[in-house]
Amino acid sequence: MSNDAKFFSAADFALLARGEGPLKTLQPPPRLAIFGDPVAHSASPPMHNAAARARGMDLQFIRILVSPEELPGALHNLAPAGFLGASLTMPHKQKAMKMVDHLDDRAEIMGAINTVSIRDGIIRGHNTDAPGFAAAVREEFGIPLRDLRVLILGGAGGAGRAITVQCALEGCPSITIANRNPAKGESLATEIRESIGKEVASLPLDLENLRTTLSSVDLIINATPLGMKTGDSSPLSEGLLSSHHLVYDTVYSGGETTLLRQSTEAGARCANGFSMLLHQGVLQNVLWFGEPAPIENMRAALTALRN
Ligand code: NAP
């Protein structure tokens, strides 16, 4: 998913913070950005620029290529450059937590931030991926996340951990994570039990464990990267899904993943990560502007990228 692959450098951004360089003359003036490495593929600029146009705001959202070494400087330059905040993507979501002045209560346990906002020069860190996921489930299946028994494949990874914590905070009736590295899964389950007081079952990601678990699960979430590349296998073996399952694949890179193909063949309702991408962006937009976001304009901008 991409439109034009234009991006600026962290050095250009440092110049803007000093009132110089190529970003100073950009029109509309840049006031928001995504920091990532790589960043050229990001769908965030068209989505947030559609929101700015719908609100009649004279500003734009740009891509800035920021390496891990450049991240502290780029975050520090946000306020002097007159920015409202930034979106963070790989590889910055975990490390940025230690570089902000203030963290949302929930971001700490989620283990990652994907959004920063600037208020009175203070850099605040937020996680909108997880509540965006909950909103996506509601939109796709018409059922609140809190009513579903969930199985999270890759539940101890970056996005998986945030989703698992969101399920715990919402009070899902049962939560199981299946992680390739079971020690990471067990450690997260202990952390959630101690900090939120919610039981999470942790399993290795293998056929026999999943076969017995799936009969008592409503919603299966893929939070592994399997499906991002054409030809990727599914995190689930063939023949495990049934028509009563709901399947949410967080992958949004386009095309039908093997997991979504398995779901359709089993008669299960399924959705890809497009709606999570939209809803995490809507929540970011609300944080930056403090008012409801023009969701349909943002959705249309993302849909145009897919077609
Ligand atoms: P990550 O931090 O690298 O975590 C990956 C997780 O998947 C880990 O639990 C890892 O297990 C597991 N894993 C990796 N390769 C695997 C394999 N071959 N077989 C089984 N398990 C495997 O990645 P991430 O940043 O969380 O991204 C995960 C997915 O979330 C991606 O598909 C991404 O596109 C999606 N995502 C979507 C949105 C959205 O808005 N739709 C937002 C964020 C992320 P170990 O712990 O054992 O290494």
Side-chain angles (χ1 to χ4, degrees):
M1 183 185 281
S2 76
N3 60 345
D4 65 331
K6 189 167 183 185
F7 59 85
F8 294 89
S9 68
D12 291 335
F13 190 50
L15 285 174
L16 179 66
R18 300 207 302 265
E20 303 163 14
L23 285 168
K24 190 171 171 355
T25 52
L26 208 62
Q27 285 301 328
R31 292 285 177 265
L32 289 161
I34 181 159
F35 294 165
D37 184 6
V39 78
H41 65 286
S42 172
S44 292
M47 173 169 59
H48 290 296
N49 284 330
R53 281 193 300 276
R55 288 197 176 103
M57 285 177 161
D58 187 35
L59 60 84
Q60 69 171 299
F61 183 115
I62 59 172
R63 301 182 183 90
I64 303 182
L65 180 67
V66 175
S67 69
E69 297 72 36
E70 291 168 328
L71 183 62
L75 289 169
H76 179 77
N77 285 331
L78 284 166
F83 271 47
L84 303 168
S87 179
L88 304 175
T89 187
M90 276 173 44
H92 301 318
K93 290 186 180 184
Q94 278 99 10
K95 293 214 172 90
M97 288 181 71
K98 294 196 169 59
M99 300 175 193
V100 298
D101 301 318
H102 181 272
L103 269 183
D104 265 4
D105 293 348
R106 293 178 167 200
E108 182 97 60
I109 176 85
M110 282 173 183
I113 54 174
N114 69 327
T115 311
V116 295
S117 64
I118 309 291
R119 290 271 183 286
D120 304 323
I122 294 178
I123 310 175
R124 295 175 183 274
H126 319 266
N127 186 312
T128 70
D129 278 334
F133 165 76
V137 166
R138 181 75 185 243
E139 176 179 290
E140 298 283 3
F141 303 122
I143 306 172
L145 180 60
R146 65 170 179 274
D147 291 347
L148 296 168
R149 299 171 295 173
V150 297
L151 168 66
I152 305 131
L153 309 171
R161 178 184 170 115
I163 288 170
T164 303
V165 169
Q166 184 72 27
C167 292
L169 291 168
E170 299 232 353
C172 290
S174 81
I175 305 171
T176 306
I177 55 180
N179 212 62
R180 184 175 58 177
N181 174 345
K184 266 174 73 180
E186 276 150 31
S187 155
L188 177 61
T190 305
E191 222 183 299
I192 290 177
R193 186 183 315 115
E194 288 172 358
S195 58
I196 304 178
K198 180 79 185 165
E199 286 303 320
V200 173
S202 171
L203 304 171
L205 186 56
D206 68 40
L207 177 62
E208 283 318 310
N209 280 308
L210 294 175
R211 198 192 296 283
T212 44
T213 303
L214 278 166
S215 60
S216 53
V217 160
D218 307 308
L219 174 65
I220 299 152
I221 302 139
N222 176 31
T224 78
L226 286 172
M228 288 181 80
K229 294 198 293 296
T230 310
D232 270 357
S233 59
S234 166
L236 283 184
S237 305
E238 295 292 332
L240 290 182
L241 292 171
S242 308
S243 57
H244 81 271
H245 286 129
L246 306 173
V247 179
Y248 193 92
D249 195 337
T250 65
V251 171
Y252 58 85
S253 38
E256 185 185 52
T257 63
T258 307
L259 177 64
L260 293 179
R261 194 259 303 148
Q262 289 173 326
S263 310
T264 306
E265 283 173 6
R269 293 171 66 198
C270 59
N272 73 18
F274 177 85
S275 47
M276 178 175 167
L277 180 68
L278 171 67
H279 284 283
Q280 63 79 30
V282 165
L283 294 170
Q284 290 183 316
N285 208 268
V286 171
L287 282 167
W288 293 323
F289 295 103
E291 56 182 55
I295 183 168
E296 292 313 323
N297 301 75
M298 297 171 77
R299 189 194 305 276
L302 286 182
T303 304
L305 292 179
R306 289 165 115 191
N307 299 330

